[in-house]
Amino acid sequence: MKVICYGDSNTYGYDPRSYIGGRYPAGARWVDLLAEKTGWEVVNHGMNGREIPEQSISVPDDTGLLIVMLGTNDLLQGAGAAEVAERMERFMRGLLQDREKILLIAPPPLQPGEWVAGQELIGQSVRLAEAYRALALRLGIGFADAGKWRISLCFDGVHFTEDGHRAFAGRLVKTLQTGN
């Protein structure tokens, strides 16, 4: 099965220790670990700094699953959870992909760190999961809340650690196999 993973720096595999856009090694990124654990063709469309696009994206016809995890950068730029969910809804409604082949993942909540100073931002990141859950129900798409997966974040309060990537991949595989 061909899987497209569309997201931000945590999908890309950004290593915040590098400061210049470096990545964790292939064997440590959740997208690569997903491919390794499932044998699927998994394509990484993660990009540092990506916010939810205004325009939809084109997804190849042979895509069996589109995984979307975005919203953190929108929050970091000052949008609230409700506004981020509205952006995501516009984005999702523009996709021509079969709704049964889409999985929306709410990113793990932010934690206090170098990039995350205020409790309001953390609170908005927690509220994003419920807003996305409601959106997924309305649109009839799959949903997963990575906030329940105990993903360890780096010193910046935003990016996954290598252990976080492994935990994320493991929980994602379990979710895809069992539905929870």
Side-chain angles (χ1 to χ4, degrees), residues 58-97:
S58 178
V59 179
D61 290 337
D62 64 343
T63 301
L65 179 64
L66 172 65
I67 298 173
V68 177
M69 184 172 66
L70 286 168
T72 299
N73 288 311
D74 302 76
L75 293 171
L76 289 169
Q77 294 302 317
E83 182 182 347
V84 173
E86 288 172 14
R87 291 177 186 178
M88 183 60 76
E89 183 164 3
R90 282 191 301 275
F91 175 73
M92 286 289 175
R93 288 193 182 278
L95 290 172
L96 299 176
Q97 185 76 4

Side-chain angles (χ1 to χ4, degrees), residues 138-165:
R138 273 196 315 279
L139 296 180
I141 61 176
F143 173 76
D145 181 358
K148 298 184 185 292
W149 295 353
R150 305 183 82 144
I151 305 302
S152 58
L153 301 181
C154 287
F155 58 89
D156 60 11
V158 175
H159 295 100
F160 299 177
T161 63
E162 287 187 60
D163 285 341
H165 276 273

Side-chain angles (χ1 to χ4, degrees), residues 16-127:
R17 300 170 299 182
S18 70
Y19 297 109
I20 56 170
R23 299 170 89 178
Y24 289 118
R29 299 186 295 248
W30 74 262
V31 172
D32 299 307
L33 293 167
L34 176 63
E36 181 182 305
K37 291 173 182 286
T38 61
W40 297 336
E41 177 189 354
V42 181
V43 182
N44 189 333
H45 281 279
M47 184 177 82
N48 290 341
R50 178 178 279 146
E51 295 178 41
I52 299 167
E54 293 289 323
Q55 302 295 319
S56 208
I57 60 171
S58 178
V59 179
D61 290 337
D62 64 343
T63 301
L65 179 64
L66 172 65
I67 298 173
V68 177
M69 184 172 66
L70 286 168
T72 299
N73 288 311
D74 302 76
L75 293 171
L76 289 169
Q77 294 302 317
E83 182 182 347
V84 173
E86 288 172 14
R87 291 177 186 178
M88 183 60 76
E89 183 164 3
R90 282 191 301 275
F91 175 73
M92 286 289 175
R93 288 193 182 278
L95 290 172
L96 299 176
Q97 185 76 4
D98 181 357
R99 299 274 184 237
E100 295 162 2
K101 295 180 178 180
I102 299 173
L103 176 65
L104 174 62
I105 300 179
L110 301 172
Q111 297 174 0
E114 286 187 13
W115 290 21
V116 183
Q119 284 301 316
E120 177 59 26
L121 180 56
I122 294 169
Q124 290 295 327
S125 73
V126 170
R127 288 189 280 285

